[in-house]
Amino acid sequence: MPVRSLVFSPSLHDSRILFSASDVGHVHVYDAEGKALLTSLSGHASWVLSVDVSPDGAAIATGSSDKTVRLWDLKNESSYTDINQPHRPQVWSVAFGPPSRTDVRSCMLAGVQVE
């Protein structure tokens, strides 16, 4: 299946970690240095079109053709927020903004839906 999006972890101790979003409906997490699949995150009902990693490397956001944005806790390997936009088109792209100067865990998240 086609890979729609790739992103490396921004964390210095996990910079070898690569995330891929694809049409299989999962996000695959790879050790790029060791060339091994570490885990797959599932929860979307359709293609995963985009993936981005939070600035602190603790979470990822995914956008899907199922019209949702999901936030994932990487420590627990689970989706903890599902931002559903009923009657909206699929989510083509997601991106975290830079962290605030006082709190690395505080940043904005944007998603793109094209009608």
Side-chain angles (χ1 to χ4, degrees):
M1 299 300 258
V3 172
R4 301 289 181 164
S5 181
L6 291 170
V7 65
F8 278 99
S9 173
S11 175
L12 291 177
H13 68 281
D14 284 336
S15 60
R16 72 182 194 286
I17 304 299
L18 177 67
F19 301 90
S20 73
S22 67
D23 287 359
V24 295
H26 304 287
V27 175
H28 291 125
V29 183
Y30 295 96
D31 175 344
E33 189 174 292
K35 300 176 184 168
L37 176 65
L38 299 175
T39 191
S40 292
L41 305 174
S42 60
H44 281 291
S46 188
W47 302 348
V48 183
L49 301 172
S50 181
V51 60
D52 198 20
V53 184
S54 64
D56 65 357
I60 63 170
T62 55
S64 173
S65 61
D66 68 6
K67 304 177 185 177
T68 64
V69 172
R70 287 183 180 266
L71 293 175
W72 303 81
D73 178 343
L74 293 176
K75 183 177 180 182
N76 297 322
E77 296 183 6
S78 62
S79 172
Y80 60 89
T81 302
D82 179 359
I83 304 166
N84 188 348
Q85 297 292 321
H87 311 294
R88 294 287 190 159
Q90 56 199 9
V91 182
W92 284 100
S93 185
V94 292
F96 283 98
S100 73
R101 292 183 182 187
T102 58
D103 181 8
V104 72
R105 294 194 60 111
S106 175
C107 62
M108 296 184 80
L109 175 64
V112 175
Q113 295 176 302
V114 179
E115 298 211 35

